[in-house]
């Protein structure tokens, strides 16, 4: 167990994501306190914890939606603490949102096309994409990967909830992601859709690491190799999935938090 | 206050120096060199007092505007119309009864009633759609402006200052020293000072009401977070109506003040709407102290500007707005 | 955040019932009505006399183009800017200042082909800077800041005599003559205006499906997500202001040639708000809306007096009519006249389909 913890927190030049003493205050309220996490490239990790444990705030700090009040964040060795969100995204970081954050006025195809365009050149281009536009093909591929080809010309506002969640994932996989943050991707999905989700996550290329926030243990523990437990804005425990699952204090805390 | 000094020592120093310079300019007898450089002290003091009293008027208009925006996120672009309406009502009352005080009361009640009607009949129907509400206020301002033009014509009206306020009083501020050695004191219109005092009292009363009373707490909670307010089970509609009535009524009072200070005519509605916009952008949306500070800054900038750089006075006002937007886009005294 | 969200609802509710062209081509190319309108506009000089040609149609196209620049910002970008007329007016002033006019002490006397690019450049810079200020805050503040900019410019032109010649403005502005044509003569001028308006219209239509325009609509729908996709949201917004300013500037050049003079009255706060009214009345979701709104507005402005007198009312109540009409549109149709028409057409279609019992949407 010690060796695992050491391995997980080992500081190496090869870390994909490295948080040191990250704290985020909202007024007097500390949503995150002194969070230190290191994730290797290609590593897949779950962040568990009850509501209000600071999981989504952690994501917001990493992507820069709300920059941390103190501490540093390194992404593949580069200090990105003070970068605006788009600069982090252009370096290969991606995220999904707990509540779908899509573009309801645009079609599915346009949503994915925008995601592809956002991480490549020509964001300000005044020229319409032609028939053989590479990004348009990339977008088609992504749409297909999340099983939305049948509705690709529909406006997102008209999609079913499950389809919106799939689109949410497609947006995060555009371009060449190196590390993805999934914020409760299974929220509101049917059992069948959950199976599909697990399939999508496990079939990601091995070099793409991710952190997943997920309340559904069945989904979460099946798609990760390590787990971080959070409580009240602090890291509570780190370990392998089976260790976390069997640790009595974790079960008590997690289930206790869940039942409140 | 101490936190501000700790966090922004440079700004605090600049502000302290500016205040010290201003105090010296006001109290000292100016050396001849200074008078040669920037003109007579009497001119400066007059512009200064005009600026401060104009700031009082701007505060009356803008505080209602900022209160309504803060709570309801409604940019009420018909606020200038309420100002002009209040002014016309005040003129009618003062012309027919001869009572200046009564004109304030009636103007307040009538404009507050218009405010209540607007909230109940119009804005309640489109709650949460702030852009649409703002569009509606634009339409209303056009309709009101034309109705008032229809009723009152394009003439200039001035509300008669009551006899007990007519004439200047001597202030204990030396403007110059005669060759005989006698000091010359500043003479300034009493009515402007009284009105400024009244608007200061209204401002302080509003601040106290917002900070010390239950209804004030509710309104402030609503300004910070409307969802919380709705969740606490407060009769939010009543709070909205009350705030709208108060905001509109203040605009009405300001109309009477403006009608006494200056004059009433078509187009004044837009002028005071604009003044409110700039005041709250500078001071910070939804903040009463912000409206006070913004009104003071803009009033002073306008008056001092029109004396010292007459062709560019409006540019000074505008530059202040640009500067604030560039350095502190949420406004000087906004919390966020 | 909530504000932009609101703007989206405002702007998009009707479009969800409407059908959006899914084809990535010109949406109107298969629409016979569009062809008919195009042909009528082209042969207009054969139908209309000078008064109608200039006072109604050219004026409509110029005002419509200014409103188009607002539609571009508001419909695609979710930013309601009230300074579009100010930018047009600024361009108009610059044409008068750099070009030739009756006020020889002010005008520099440049030929039009130098003065116009200069005016367009300066107007674009002016609008971009204003936009850069406006995007520092979110949503509903944009209205306030742009209105303040517009009003400041109006008061400034009134006060400043060195450049803007105070409240009299600049008169007898020269219009271009070349290739033996007086381009301000009714028929040539109509075609100049028509060509410019068509250019702007198709440019906006085209950009709306290009990466820049799509990204702008993404910014309107969800700025935070756009940042999380790698877009610099504020840079996009400022760039949108630059495009809109250029369009407004073009219209401003035409406006000063149309009236041959420019004065503070043309850039008043009321006139700024008229542009918003035009765009909203016409419909703010598609580029054709502003032109429809402008036609309604110009017709009302020209004929309201006679009309009001005819039905026994005071002819001076034109503003009242405009205000009430605007209120009605805002109350009943969030997509202006196009929205109303579309709703009516859909109800017709539904009537037709009812006997079949088939419902298109499950």
């Amino acid at each position: 167990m010690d060796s695992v913890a050491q391995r997980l927190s080992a500081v190496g030049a090869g870390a994909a994501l490295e948080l040191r003493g990250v704290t985020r205050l909202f007024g007097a309220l500390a949503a995150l306190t002194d969070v230190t996490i290191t994730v290797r490239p290609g590593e897949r990790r779950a962040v568990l914890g009850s509501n209000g444990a600071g999981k989504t705030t952690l994501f917001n700090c990493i992507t820069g939606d709300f920059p941390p009040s103190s501490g540093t964040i390194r992404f593949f060795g580069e200090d990105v603490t003070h970068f605006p969100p788009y600069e982090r995204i252009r370096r290969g970081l991606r995220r999904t949102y707990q509540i779908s954050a899509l573009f309801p006025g645009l079609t599915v195809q346009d949503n994915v096309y925008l995601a592809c365009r956002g991480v490549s050149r020509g964001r300000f281009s005044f020229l319409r994409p032609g028939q053989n536009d590479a990004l348009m093909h990339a977008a088609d591929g992504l749409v297909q990967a999340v099983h939305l080809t049948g509705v690709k010309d529909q406006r997102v506002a008209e999609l079913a909830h499950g389809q919106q969640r799939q689109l949410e994932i497609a947006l995060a996989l555009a371009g060449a992601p190196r590390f993805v943050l999934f914020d409760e991707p299974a929220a509101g999905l049917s059992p069948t859709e959950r199976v599909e989700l697990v399939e999508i996550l496990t079939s990601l290329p091995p070099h793409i690491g991710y952190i997943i926030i997920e309340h559904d243990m069945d989904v979460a523990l099946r798609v990760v190799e390590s787990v971080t437990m959070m409580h009240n804005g602090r890291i509570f425990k780190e370990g392998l999935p089976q260790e976390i699952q069997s640790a009595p204090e974790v079960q008590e805390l997690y289930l206790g938090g869940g039942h409140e | 206050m101490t936190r501000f000094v700790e966090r922004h020592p440079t700004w605090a120093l600049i502000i302290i120096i500016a205040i010290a310079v201003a105090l010296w300019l006001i109290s000292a007898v100016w050396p001849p060199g200074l008078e040669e450089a920037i003109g007579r002290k009497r001119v400066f003091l007059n512009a200064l007092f005009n600026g401060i009293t104009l700031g009082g008027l701007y505060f009356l208009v803008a505080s209602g505007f900022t209160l309504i925006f803060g709570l309801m996120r409604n940019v009420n672009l018909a606020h200038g119309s309420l100002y002009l309406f209040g002014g016309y009502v005040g003129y009618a009352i003062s012309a027919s009864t001869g009572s200046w005080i009564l004109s304030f009361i009636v103007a307040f009640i009538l404009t507050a009633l218009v405010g209540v009607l607007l909230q109940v009949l119009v804005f309640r129907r489109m709650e949460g759609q702030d852009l649409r509400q703002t569009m509606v206020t634009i339409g209303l301002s056009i309709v009101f402006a034309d109705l008032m033009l229809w009723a009152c014509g394009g003439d200039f009206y001035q509300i008669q200052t009551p006899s007990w306020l007519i004439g200047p009083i001597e202030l204990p501020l030396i403007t110059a020293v005669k060759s005989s050695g006698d000091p010359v004191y500043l003479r300034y219109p009493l009515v402007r000072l009284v009105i400024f005092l009244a608007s200061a009292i209204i401002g302080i009363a509003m601040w106290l009401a917002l900070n010390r009373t239950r209804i004030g707490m509710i309104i402030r909670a609503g300004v910070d977070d409307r969802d919380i307010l709705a969740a606490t089970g407060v009769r939010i509609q009543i709070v909205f109506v009350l705030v709208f009535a108060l905001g509109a009524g203040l605009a009405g009072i300001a109309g009477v003040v403006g009608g006494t200070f200056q004059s009433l005519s078509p187009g004044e509605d837009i002028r005071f709407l604009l003044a409110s916009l700039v005041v709250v952008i500078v001071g910070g949306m939804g903040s009463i102290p912000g409206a006070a500070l913004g009104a003071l800054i803009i009033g002073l900038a306008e008056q001092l500007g029109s004396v010292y750089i007459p062709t560019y006075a409006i540019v000074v006002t505008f530059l202040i707005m640009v500067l604030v937007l560039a350095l502190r886009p949420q406004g000087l005294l906004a919390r966020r | 955040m909530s504000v932009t969200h609101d703007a989206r609802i405002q702007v998009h509710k009707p479009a969800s019932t409407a059908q959006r062209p899914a084809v990535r081509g010109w949406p109107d190319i298969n629409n016979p009505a569009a062809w008919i309108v195009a042909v009528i506009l082209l042969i207009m000089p054969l139908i209309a006399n000078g008064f109608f040609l200039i006072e109604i149609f050219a004026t409509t196209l110029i005002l419509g183009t200014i409103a188009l620049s607002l539609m571009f910002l508001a419909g695609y970008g979710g930013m309601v800017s009230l300074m579009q007329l100010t930018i047009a007016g600024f361009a108009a002033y610059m044409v008068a200042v750099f070009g030739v006019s009756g006020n020889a002490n002010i005008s520099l006397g440049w030929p039009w082909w130098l003065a116009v690019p200069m005016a367009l450049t300066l107007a674009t810079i002016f609008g971009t800077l204003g936009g850069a200020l406006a995007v520092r805050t979110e949503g509903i503040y944009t209205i306030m800041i742009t209105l303040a900019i517009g009003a400041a410019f109006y008061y400034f032109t009134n006060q400043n005599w060195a450049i803007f010649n105070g409240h009299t403005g600049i008169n007898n502005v020269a219009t271009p003559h070349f290739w033996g044509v007086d381009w301000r003569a009714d028929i040539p001028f109509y075609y100049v205006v028509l060509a410019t308006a068509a250019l702007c219209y198709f440019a906006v239509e085209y950009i709306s499906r290009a990466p820049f325009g799509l990204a702008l609509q993404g910014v309107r729908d969800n700025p935070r997500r756009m940042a999380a996709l790698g877009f610099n949201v504020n840079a996009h917004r400022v760039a949108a202001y630059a495009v809109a300013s250029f369009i407004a500037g073009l219209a401003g050049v035409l406006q000063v040639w149309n009236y041959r003079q420019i004065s503070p009255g043309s850039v008043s706060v009321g006139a700024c708000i008229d542009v918003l009214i035009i765009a909203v009345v016409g419909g703010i979701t598609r580029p054709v809306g502003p032109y429809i709104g402008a036609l309604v507005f110009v017709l009302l402005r020209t004929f309201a007096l006679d009309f009001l007198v005819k039905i026994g009312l005071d002819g001076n109540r034109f503003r009242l009519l405009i205000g009430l009409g605007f209120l009605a549109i805002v109350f009943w149709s969030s997509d202006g006249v196009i929205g109303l028409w579309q709703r009516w057409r859909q109800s017709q279609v539904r009537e037709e389909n009812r006997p079949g019992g088939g419902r298109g949407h499950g």
Side-chain angles (χ1 to χ4, degrees):
Chain A
M1 150 115 200
D2 269 344
S3 67
V4 172
Q6 275 166 9
R7 180 169 60 79
L8 292 181
S9 62
V11 186
L17 192 62
E18 186 187 345
L19 278 70
R20 296 248 141 244
V22 168
T23 298
R24 169 71 203 197
L25 306 170
F26 288 107
L29 182 84
L32 282 183
T33 310
D34 196 21
V35 170
T36 298
I37 295 180
T38 307
V39 188
R40 288 173 288 111
E43 181 177 340
R44 289 151 185 216
R45 176 179 301 212
V47 173
L48 304 179
S50 52
N51 287 329
K55 296 167 304 203
T56 298
T57 308
L58 178 71
F59 276 17
N60 284 334
C61 282
I62 297 174
T63 55
D65 284 32
F66 304 132
S69 309
S70 64
T72 58
I73 299 171
R74 287 176 170 277
F75 187 63
F76 285 94
E78 188 177 12
D79 186 348
V80 298
T81 316
H82 302 291
F83 281 19
Y86 59 88
E87 287 290 354
R88 306 178 194 214
I89 302 302
R90 291 175 194 175
R91 281 164 174 73
L93 182 66
R94 300 283 188 278
R95 82 170 287 184
T96 70
Y97 287 82
Q98 189 180 349
I99 299 164
S100 294
L102 305 166
F103 309 108
L106 300 176
T107 62
V108 171
Q109 171 84 14
D110 287 345
N111 268 260
V112 179
Y113 178 73
L114 274 183
C116 296
R117 185 53 87 171
V119 288
S120 54
R121 281 156 188 253
R123 281 172 286 258
F124 287 86
S125 170
F126 281 50
L127 295 179
R128 287 187 181 184
Q131 289 296 324
N132 291 316
D133 187 86
L135 288 179
M136 207 48 107
H137 284 303
D140 281 338
L142 270 172
V143 169
Q144 198 170 10
V146 293
H147 316 298
L148 290 176
T149 309
V151 292
K152 80 184 177 107
D153 288 323
Q154 270 185 37
R155 279 160 28 91
V156 167
E158 295 155 9
L159 294 190
H161 176 79
Q163 293 173 317
Q164 294 197 357
R165 296 306 291 171
Q166 276 160 324
L167 180 57
E168 183 71 39
I169 291 175
L171 295 194
L173 297 180
R178 292 200 283 176
F179 202 87
V180 190
L181 308 173
F182 292 106
D183 197 346
E184 295 198 29
L189 294 189
S190 68
T192 348
E193 288 168 332
R194 279 170 199 239
V195 174
E196 271 182 42
L197 174 68
V198 169
E199 198 181 297
I200 290 173
L201 290 179
T202 47
S203 64
L204 285 178
H207 72 275
I208 301 181
Y210 57 75
I211 299 181
I212 180 168
I213 297 175
E214 189 47 68
H215 281 298
D216 184 341
M217 289 284 209
D218 281 345
V219 172
L221 299 182
R222 214 182 301 165
V223 296
V224 299
E225 57 211 66
S226 60
V227 176
T228 297
M229 292 287 304
M230 287 184 73
H231 187 60
N232 284 341
R234 290 172 187 276
I235 301 283
F236 174 74
K237 196 174 177 67
E238 291 186 305
L240 299 174
Q242 54 271 34
E243 292 169 350
I244 293 289
Q245 226 171 354
S246 55
E249 74 266 37
V250 169
Q251 271 194 328
E252 187 193 332
L253 180 76
Y254 191 67
L255 295 177
H259 279 294
E260 262 170 14
Chain B
M1 197 60 134
T2 43
R3 268 187 71 191
F4 177 80
V5 176
E6 275 166 24
R7 279 164 68 183
H8 308 278
T10 341
W11 281 109
L13 192 68
I14 291 173
I15 291 171
I16 289 169
I17 291 176
I19 291 174
V21 169
L23 283 178
W24 181 82
L25 283 172
I26 293 167
S27 55
V29 176
W30 287 14
L34 187 64
E35 295 226 325
E36 256 167 51
I38 61 171
R40 309 268 299 276
K41 187 184 173 188
R42 189 175 58 77
V43 176
F44 168 75
L45 278 185
N46 260 316
L48 190 75
F49 273 75
N50 284 344
I52 293 173
T53 48
L54 182 66
L57 174 57
Y58 282 168
F59 171 73
L60 282 181
V61 195
S63 57
F65 183 82
T66 200
L67 205 59
I68 291 172
F69 176 87
L71 187 62
M72 291 171 257
R73 294 283 168 248
N74 178 353
V75 177
N76 181 14
L77 295 180
H79 200 71
S81 312
L82 294 171
Y83 164 88
L84 191 58
F85 176 67
Y88 282 139
V89 168
Y91 175 80
I93 298 295
S94 113
S96 58
T97 67
S99 168
W100 191 57
I101 301 288
L102 186 67
S103 65
F104 276 99
I105 298 171
V106 177
F108 180 84
I109 292 174
L110 284 186
T111 42
L113 263 178
V114 174
V116 170
L117 287 179
L118 284 181
Q119 173 60 26
V120 172
L121 296 180
V122 181
F123 299 121
R124 188 187 272 184
R125 289 157 185 252
M126 34 184 86
E127 211 162 282
Q129 309 175 38
D130 31 19
L131 186 62
R132 194 150 161 239
Q133 288 187 342
T134 302
M135 299 260 199
V136 169
T137 64
I138 290 177
L140 286 173
S141 72
I142 294 171
V143 170
F144 286 162
D146 203 60
L147 287 177
M148 285 191 282
L149 181 66
W150 199 356
C152 307
D155 298 334
F156 285 78
Y157 295 94
Q158 189 162 24
I159 298 173
Q160 185 68 42
T161 310
S163 53
W164 49 279
L165 284 178
I166 286 180
I169 61 161
E170 205 159 80
L171 294 175
L173 289 172
I174 301 169
T175 57
V177 180
K178 282 187 195 161
S179 51
S180 63
D182 295 336
V184 181
Y185 290 101
L186 177 73
R187 294 166 64 80
Y188 196 76
L190 177 61
V191 61
R192 296 190 75 123
L193 292 176
V194 169
I195 284 173
F196 175 72
L197 212 63
S199 42
I201 291 170
I202 290 177
I204 292 168
M206 265 168 70
W207 189 82
L208 285 177
L210 279 176
N211 285 278
R212 296 280 183 274
T213 65
R214 200 182 112 74
I215 183 99
M217 303 279 188
I218 292 171
I219 293 172
R220 278 199 311 147
V223 170
D224 284 349
D225 192 334
R226 284 183 294 174
D227 300 335
I228 286 181
L229 186 56
T232 53
V234 172
R235 304 275 301 276
I236 191 166
Q237 285 305 333
I238 295 188
V239 178
F240 279 3
V241 167
L242 280 178
V243 168
F244 218 109
L246 179 65
L250 281 171
I253 289 187
V256 182
V257 171
T260 313
F261 264 28
Q262 304 171 339
S263 62
L264 301 165
S265 64
E268 288 294 287
D269 49 349
I270 288 181
R271 211 190 111 205
F272 276 85
L273 170 68
L274 177 75
S276 313
L277 287 181
V278 176
V279 163
V280 297
I281 289 172
V282 169
M285 292 298 290
S287 154
I288 296 289
L293 181 67
L296 194 64
I297 292 176
I298 299 304
L300 282 173
E302 233 173 71
Q303 291 298 322
L304 290 174
S306 68
V307 169
Y308 292 106
I309 31 172
T311 31
Y312 296 97
I314 188 77
V315 180
V316 176
T317 313
F318 180 69
L319 278 182
I320 290 174
M321 189 185 94
V322 170
L323 214 63
V324 169
L325 280 174
L327 296 176
R328 202 174 147 78
Q330 70 274 44
L332 292 176
L333 292 187
R335 251 163 298 173
R336 269 154 293 177
Chain C
M1 205 63 146
S2 72
V3 167
T4 3
H5 179 73
D6 177 65
R8 175 174 80 236
I9 286 176
Q10 157 95 23
V11 160
H12 267 270
K13 219 174 249 158
S16 67
T17 50
Q19 266 170 15
R20 214 190 136 82
V23 198
R24 257 158 221 282
W26 299 107
D28 292 334
I29 213 150
N30 297 320
N31 185 349
W35 285 104
I36 294 172
V37 170
V39 169
I40 291 178
L41 283 173
L42 277 174
I43 60 165
M44 188 64 80
L46 300 177
I47 309 167
N49 63 16
F51 171 78
F52 270 87
L53 201 59
I54 300 302
E55 297 297 321
I56 303 293
F57 291 107
T59 310
T60 293
L61 290 171
I62 293 171
L63 272 177
T65 305
I66 300 176
L68 176 75
S69 76
L70 169 59
M71 177 271 143
F72 179 73
L73 286 174
Y76 294 145
M79 300 174 284
V80 180
S81 156
L82 287 179
M83 64 173 181
Q84 295 315 110
L85 180 93
T86 305
I87 296 163
F90 183 78
Y93 264 113
M94 289 304 109
V95 168
V97 167
F98 285 99
V100 180
S101 82
N103 301 72
N105 55 331
I106 288 175
S107 294
L108 300 177
W110 293 10
W112 70 271
W113 47 267
L114 269 181
V116 168
M118 189 69 190
L120 286 175
T121 311
L122 289 175
T124 308
I125 292 172
F126 176 72
T128 310
L129 289 178
L133 271 185
V135 302
R136 292 193 52 87
T137 57
E138 284 268 328
I140 208 83
Y141 289 68
T142 308
I143 289 190
M144 304 176 50
I145 292 165
T146 51
L147 181 61
I149 292 173
F153 183 71
Y154 165 65
Y155 287 114
F156 183 62
T157 54
N158 254 314
Q159 280 181 2
N160 181 288
W161 291 84
I163 305 171
F164 295 99
N165 204 28
H167 58 79
T168 48
I170 302 175
N171 297 304
N172 296 323
V173 177
T175 52
H177 287 250
F178 59 95
W179 297 337
V181 180
D182 172 6
W183 291 94
R184 180 54 190 82
D186 288 350
I187 292 175
F189 186 62
Y190 172 79
Y191 280 114
V192 168
V193 171
L194 182 63
T196 313
L199 186 79
C200 293
Y201 172 84
F202 287 115
V204 166
E205 181 79 52
Y206 181 85
I207 292 173
S208 76
R209 307 289 316 156
F212 177 73
L214 279 178
L216 194 59
Q217 293 167 71
V219 168
R220 170 199 67 200
D221 280 3
N222 197 332
R224 190 171 154 204
R225 184 57 187 258
M226 282 304 276
L229 291 180
F231 288 91
N232 183 345
V233 168
N234 272 354
H236 244 90
R237 287 183 170 143
V238 173
Y241 270 102
V243 174
S245 305
F246 185 77
I247 294 174
L250 276 176
V253 172
L254 296 178
Q255 198 184 26
V256 74
W257 284 345
N258 188 14
Y259 298 121
R260 295 196 185 90
Q261 63 98 34
I262 178 78
S263 65
S266 323
V267 293
S268 69
V269 176
C272 287
I273 288 177
D274 284 346
V275 172
L276 176 73
I277 292 178
I278 287 170
V280 169
V281 165
I284 215 156
T285 55
R286 265 170 307 152
V288 75
Y291 290 100
I292 296 174
L295 185 63
V296 173
F297 183 86
V298 170
L299 287 176
L300 263 183
R301 188 172 66 182
T302 316
F303 298 111
L305 198 148
D306 297 337
F307 173 74
L308 285 170
V309 170
K310 205 166 275 177
I311 60 168
L313 287 172
D314 186 347
N316 292 323
R317 298 281 75 83
F318 157 70
R319 301 287 305 169
L320 194 62
L321 207 64
I322 289 280
L324 289 175
F326 177 67
L327 276 178
I329 289 283
V330 174
F331 264 107
W332 282 298
S333 166
S334 42
D335 197 16
V337 175
I338 334 179
L340 285 179
W341 183 67
Q342 237 162 23
R343 236 186 286 167
W344 177 78
R345 215 174 54 160
Q346 256 165 12
S347 69
Q348 297 296 103
V349 171
R350 228 171 287 145
E351 295 276 308
E352 277 168 32
N353 286 351
R354 196 158 290 162
R359 282 209 332 188
H361 195 21

